Amino acid sequence: MVTEPETILPPDLLERFRERASAHDRENTFPAADLDELRGIGYLALLVPEALGGRGLSLAEVALLQQRLATAAPATALAINMHLVWTGVARQLSDRGIDDLRFVLEGAAAGEVFAFGISEAGNDLVLFGSDTAAEPRPDGAYAFTGTKIFTTLSPVWTQLGLHGLDTRSADGPRIVYAFVPRDEEAAGRVRIRDDWDTLGMRATQSRTTELHGAVAPPERVVRRVAPGPQPDPLVFGIFSVFELLIASVYTGIARRALDLAVLAAARKDSQNPRLRWQVADMAIAYDAMPPQIDALCRDLAHDVDHGGRWFSLLSGVKHRAVTTAKAVVDEALIVAGGSSFFARSELSRLYRDVAAGVFHPSDPESAHSAAATAWLGPLETPS
């Protein structure tokens, strides 16, 4: 049975989020009340199987919910996205009989918040490399030293999923994926900078995280893999769920901008040919995105074999969602007119929020590189 988005995110709840969003953007604060309400309706455990205390929704259903949430509060949607990425990966593995992340599913059902500590300044390899040192300990634990940027949910996470490079083990180098508990902050081995003061997406509070030998216990070390692209189900799971949920947030922004443009056009003159063309152009662009996201979510769930095209399909849908959303927001500003230029305008906030899209992996260069490789083959290595 498909769950209708309106039953989980009803209009009155979205309106409360929308009213708070402007204040969080203006004051540069975390949407704690949004998180409390989302936790209260089981949103943190949307992807957790019912047998483990969750709602058991599919990734396609959650992607649609994230689009709906982003129409009200893009930064709240983006923030909760990072938690949903980990639960989505855990669910994907669990559905395939791999229980390495069962603790993520159980933790999410119990109210834990999982954050995403992958991004590093200057690390264009993202998942396939790391500038963070992962030092093995005799008991199987790892100590991580390095700096992670864009650590969304910084004020509230209880577990930080991260990666680092182990160069000390006999089989090294190895990329190590693990989870560091919030207790490491009290021990002084995790330090969170209060440095999030950005153009848009301000409520995500994606602060810089310093790791000074932060310890992931043995039972939270979930994977050791060779650096570089490879088909490990955890790595592919992170990439696929991340791209699809990011695309969902920016598609939700496009939908809200379109709705606001429709309202503006109706106030002006809905019979005006120019306004009708502009709104139609926005609608045609937006209408292409939800079906693409839904189709890829379903292909992922059903193990459709796209072979080497999977990475280009996933990075491509994220890239299209961002560029489409930016174009729709730009056009909505023109339709709405000068009132949208004021900081108090919701479109003004959407204009700033949507600008964050290019900074999430895959960036435009990576997306084009993946597509070129899929269709033309890899670049030849000079002999």
Side-chain angles (χ1 to χ4, degrees):
M1 180 180 296
V2 176
T3 301
E4 291 297 327
E6 294 83 358
T7 64
I8 294 177
L9 294 174
D12 60 326
L13 180 64
L14 291 182
E15 194 53 42
R16 288 197 297 275
F17 288 175
R18 185 172 293 118
E19 289 174 1
R20 292 193 287 251
S22 60
H24 290 304
D25 174 71
R26 182 174 60 253
E27 299 164 8
N28 195 25
T29 52
F30 183 78
D34 290 1
L35 179 62
D36 287 343
E37 292 206 61
L38 290 171
R39 183 186 277 115
I41 62 173
Y43 209 87
L44 295 180
L46 289 176
L47 287 155
V48 177
E50 291 182 280
L52 295 180
R55 303 198 63 152
L57 299 191
S58 68
L59 183 61
E61 290 173 304
V62 172
L64 196 57
L65 283 167
Q66 282 296 92
Q67 292 171 46
R68 184 170 173 82
L69 179 57
T71 64
T76 296
L78 185 61
I80 204 70
N81 230 38
M82 303 310 167
H83 168 89
L84 292 173
V85 167
W86 282 123
T87 60
V89 174
R91 169 70 176 277
Q92 196 176 120
L93 294 180
S94 176
D95 287 348
R96 289 154 181 77
I98 304 171
D99 285 334
D100 295 3
L101 294 183
R102 183 184 176 94
F103 69 90
V104 171
L105 297 173
E106 294 173 338
E112 285 211 68
V113 178
F114 293 86
F116 204 71
I118 300 296
S119 296
E120 300 164 341
N123 176 20
D124 294 332
L125 295 174
V126 195
L127 288 173
F128 305 136
S130 178
D131 296 326
T132 295
E135 182 177 352
R137 292 192 164 192
D139 63 354
Y142 268 88
F144 292 85
T145 300
T147 302
K148 301 291 185 177
I149 60 173
F150 299 135
T151 313
T152 303
L153 297 167
S154 282
V156 296
W157 63 260
T158 60
Q159 298 279 341
L160 178 64
L162 76 174
H163 74 337
L165 186 65
D166 173 7
T167 59
R168 298 197 177 190
S169 295
D171 63 347
R174 284 290 184 269
I175 299 291
V176 181
Y177 290 88
F179 288 78
V180 168
R182 190 76 185 218
D183 294 350
E184 289 296 280
E185 184 181 20
R189 292 186 286 269
V190 170
R191 300 174 192 167
I192 299 173
R193 300 177 192 167
D194 187 8
D195 61 352
W196 190 248
D197 188 11
T198 51
L199 175 71
M201 290 293 186
R202 287 159 64 79
T204 65
Q205 291 303 298
S206 307
R207 303 171 186 175
T208 301
T209 303
E210 300 176 13
L211 306 168
H212 300 273
V215 177
E219 66 274 15
R220 294 293 184 263
V221 177
V222 296
R223 195 65 100 251
R224 298 176 71 256
V225 298
Q230 33 76 31
D232 182 88
L234 175 70
V235 178
F236 179 70
I238 294 171
F239 184 82
S240 58
V241 179
F242 184 93
E243 297 292 82
L244 289 166
L245 291 183
I246 287 290
S248 299
V249 169
Y250 288 91
T251 297
I253 293 176
R255 174 54 189 265
R256 181 58 179 171
L258 173 58
D259 287 343
L260 291 173
V262 168
L263 291 173
R267 285 195 302 268
K268 291 182 174 181
D269 179 6
S270 63
Q271 301 305 303
N272 182 295
R274 179 181 61 82
L275 289 176
R276 293 179 69 84
W277 179 278
Q278 288 173 300
V279 171
D281 208 37
M282 295 163 63
I284 291 168
Y286 163 75
D287 282 344
M289 291 312 307
Q292 291 180 48
I293 295 170
D294 183 75
L296 285 174
C297 285
R298 294 178 189 278
D299 284 359
L300 196 62
H302 293 100
D303 291 323
V304 173
D305 184 11
H306 288 298
R309 289 197 62 214
W310 258 122
F311 285 98
S312 68
L313 289 170
L314 292 164
S315 60
V317 77
K318 179 268 173 181
H319 176 70
R320 282 193 301 281
V322 170
T323 54
T324 297
K326 286 174 66 68
V328 170
V329 171
D330 281 348
E331 197 68 23
L333 290 171
I334 296 171
V335 171
S339 63
S340 63
F341 193 61
F342 285 88
R344 63 178 178 269
S345 164
E346 185 178 355
L347 274 173
S348 172
R349 176 165 52 78
L350 295 181
Y351 180 79
R352 290 181 291 104
D353 281 349
V354 79
V358 296
F359 299 107
H360 308 299
S362 295
D363 63 21
E365 183 177 355
S366 297
H368 283 79
S369 176
T373 298
W375 288 94
L376 299 172
L379 284 171
E380 296 181 4
T381 303
S383 56

